[in-house]
């Protein structure tokens, strides 16, 4: 892949275009490039994805003492480059035109790919309240599976009322001494079974019609300031951590006209990660999947690369150097 032209026609076309340079996209690049597929990754920012914002990852295999999120993804990137993948950063996919090749339009031009893997992940939605950004990674978290174990015998707050919030509140009771479930309405939106389980759990206390106005502390989270709409009262509640589940936005807007998605915008695929368009696959957090974790995103990246490789070989675009069975 050498250059691009602004407009609909790509100047150069690569075998495989991978959109997104997080764990899913970079693992796909490792597998594809190692198999001899000409691979180009387009990343809207710097490579790394969500995990690059995590100070410590303790559940990715191979690192018994944990590893920095940024450091881990730098290793993914180096491995992809080592096998010959090309990576272009600050290149955001803005539009997708299906065809042969498929075309992806960015701010600087149009890229062609005989096969495409969409691995654009998601952006966790925050509350936007005072202190949220300041304490991100120092008590404010968007992932109980990732950070729950840091709160053994501590008090935490979970904000939200949907399935994710309630599931994660239940999960946190394995570690935390007490879990406040803070919800802005007077009843939860989560499935009834989950609600029942949470509300019957002695470690969980639900705070209704409650909105977090501020996350407070010196160097780390020490309390949340909560407005209670029903009694027009504001209370400071001491907590050691705050888990926010007020929504997730998959980065799939640019393919919403052409790919099948669920109501929330997560891409629907077959179990082999094929989308409704031939030669287009989706992997990782942008896909409707059961686990939003690095190990899972990486596994899906590997599977998507394998499937894209087979597709390219069957289409006569390239011959694979490495058998994927
Ligand atoms: C704070 C935090 C801590 C976490 N801790 C852990 C942990 O300890 N362990 C664990 O297993 N998981 C953890 N996770 C979850 C994990 O980070 C995600 O499950 C994983 O990163 C998903 O990988 P992905 O490649 O599918 O998506 P992402 O990581 O979201 O990567 C997608 C990439 O695509 C790029 N992109 C988006 N749109 C476009 C576009 N239009 N064009 C080009 N590029 C685009 C993004 O910039 C991003 O780099 C954590 C998440 C967060 C937010």
């Amino acid at each position: 892949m050498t250059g691009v032209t602004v407009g609909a026609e790509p100047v150069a076309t690569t075998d495989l275009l991978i959109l997104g340079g997080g764990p899913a996209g970079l693992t796909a690049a490792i597998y594809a490039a190692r198999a001899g597929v000409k691979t180009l990754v387009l990343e809207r920012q710097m490579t790394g994805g969500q995990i690059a914002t995590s100070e410590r990852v303790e559940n990715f295999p191979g690192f018994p003492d944990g590893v920095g999120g940024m450091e881990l993804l730098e290793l993914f990137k180096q491995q992809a480059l080592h096998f010959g993948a090309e990576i272009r950063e600050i290149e955001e996919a803005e539009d997708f035109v299906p065809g042969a090749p498929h075309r992806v339009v960015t701010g600087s031009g149009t890229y062609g790919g005989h096969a495409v893997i969409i691995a654009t992940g998601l952006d966790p939605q925050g509350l936007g309240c005072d202190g949220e950004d300041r304490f991100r990674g120092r008590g404010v978290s968007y992932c109980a599976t990732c950070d729950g174990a840091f709160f053994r015998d501590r008090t935490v707050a979970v904000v939200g009322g949907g399935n994710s919030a309630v599931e994660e509140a239940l999960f946190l009771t394995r570690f935390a001494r007490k879990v406040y479930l803070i919800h802005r309405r007077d009843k939860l939106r989560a499935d009834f079974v989950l609600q029942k389980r949470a509300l019957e759990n002695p470690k969980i206390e639900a705070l209704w019609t409650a909105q977090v106005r501020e996350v407070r502390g010196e160097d780390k989270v020490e309390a949340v300031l909560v407005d209670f709409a029903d009694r027009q009262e504001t209370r400071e509640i001491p907590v050691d951590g705050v888990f926010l589940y007020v929504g997730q936005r998959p980065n799939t807007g640019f393919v919403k006209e052409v790919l099948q998605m669920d109501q929330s915008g997560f891409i629907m695929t077959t179990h082999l990660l094929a989308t409704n368009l031939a030669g287009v696959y989706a992997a990782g957090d942008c896909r409707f999947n059961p686990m939003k974790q690095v190990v899972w995103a990486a596994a899906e990246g590997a599977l998507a690369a394998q499937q894209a490789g087979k597709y390219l070989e069957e289409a006569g675009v390239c011959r694979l150097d490495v058998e994927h069975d």
Side-chain angles (χ1 to χ4, degrees):
M1 182 89 196
T2 47
V4 290
T5 296
V6 177
E9 287 309 315
V11 152
T13 294
T14 191
D15 294 347
L16 176 62
L17 264 185
I18 297 174
L19 309 180
L26 291 177
T27 306
I30 293 167
Y31 272 72
R34 182 167 176 268
V37 176
K38 209 162 125 201
T39 300
L40 172 68
V41 180
L42 302 180
E43 163 56 49
R44 73 175 169 183
Q45 298 165 339
M46 305 303 281
T47 51
Q50 295 164 67
I51 198 65
T53 65
S54 173
E55 215 166 285
R56 204 103 204 119
V57 184
E58 292 194 324
N59 56 6
F60 192 78
F63 298 91
D65 300 324
V67 57
M70 190 104 78
E71 190 187 339
L72 178 63
L73 264 288
E74 181 59 26
L75 293 171
F76 279 42
K77 177 182 174 180
Q78 291 310 324
Q79 204 165 345
L81 293 172
H82 169 77
F83 288 118
E86 189 183 343
I87 297 173
R88 292 198 182 181
E89 295 174 327
I90 325 292
E91 270 296 40
E92 177 166 1
E94 291 171 358
D95 200 4
F96 187 98
V97 186
H102 299 295
R103 280 158 291 168
V104 171
V105 183
T106 73
S108 60
T110 300
Y111 293 85
H114 291 293
V116 179
I117 295 174
I118 296 165
T120 44
L122 59 77
D123 289 332
Q125 299 292 284
L127 286 172
C129 68
D130 284 350
E132 177 183 340
D133 283 344
R134 190 172 148 221
F135 292 111
R136 188 183 289 240
R138 285 184 297 147
V140 170
S141 171
Y142 306 84
C143 179
T145 319
C146 317
D147 299 330
F150 297 121
F151 294 90
R152 209 172 285 280
D153 296 324
R154 304 284 180 84
T155 298
V156 297
V158 172
V159 183
N163 281 339
S164 303
V166 176
E167 271 174 18
E168 300 297 48
L170 282 162
F171 176 77
L172 284 164
T173 60
R174 295 187 200 173
F175 310 100
R177 181 164 24 102
K178 182 172 180 78
V179 179
Y180 289 106
L181 183 56
I182 302 179
H183 187 41
R184 65 197 161 108
R185 300 185 202 285
D186 59 3
K187 55 176 176 292
L188 299 170
R189 271 183 297 110
D191 295 344
F192 181 69
V193 187
L194 282 174
Q195 290 193 30
K196 188 165 178 301
R197 214 176 287 156
L199 299 176
E200 284 174 357
N201 189 308
K203 282 191 176 179
I204 296 181
E205 179 180 341
L207 302 181
W208 306 110
T209 68
Q211 264 182 296
V212 174
R213 188 205 288 189
E214 188 183 338
V215 181
R216 292 183 159 177
E218 284 293 324
D219 297 329
K220 56 185 177 51
V221 170
E222 289 167 20
V224 281
L225 196 64
V226 179
D227 291 331
F228 291 88
D230 58 349
R231 40 199 140 120
Q232 305 207 327
E233 182 197 343
T234 300
R235 261 173 64 199
E236 185 178 271
I237 299 172
V239 294
D240 304 292
V242 188
F243 290 81
L244 301 178
Y245 291 97
V246 291
Q248 297 178 322
R249 199 186 49 228
N251 298 313
T252 54
F254 69 104
V255 281
K256 71 174 189 298
E257 305 297 339
V258 292
L259 293 188
Q260 280 170 6
M261 297 179 186
D262 72 2
Q263 290 177 16
S264 309
F266 289 98
I267 298 171
M268 307 294 288
T269 70
T270 65
H271 70 290
L272 293 176
L273 310 186
T275 68
N276 55 297
L277 286 178
V280 181
Y281 303 84
D285 281 12
C286 66
R287 195 180 80 79
F288 176 81
N289 73 15
M291 195 181 191
K292 308 285 184 218
Q293 289 283 276
V294 175
V295 73
W296 192 274
E300 288 196 359
L303 178 59
Q306 181 215 45
Q307 294 300 306
K310 283 185 176 174
Y311 170 84
L312 290 167
E313 198 165 46
E314 279 163 23
V317 174
C318 64
R319 271 176 56 83
L320 303 183
D321 292 343
V322 177
E323 284 295 325
H324 286 299
D325 278 320

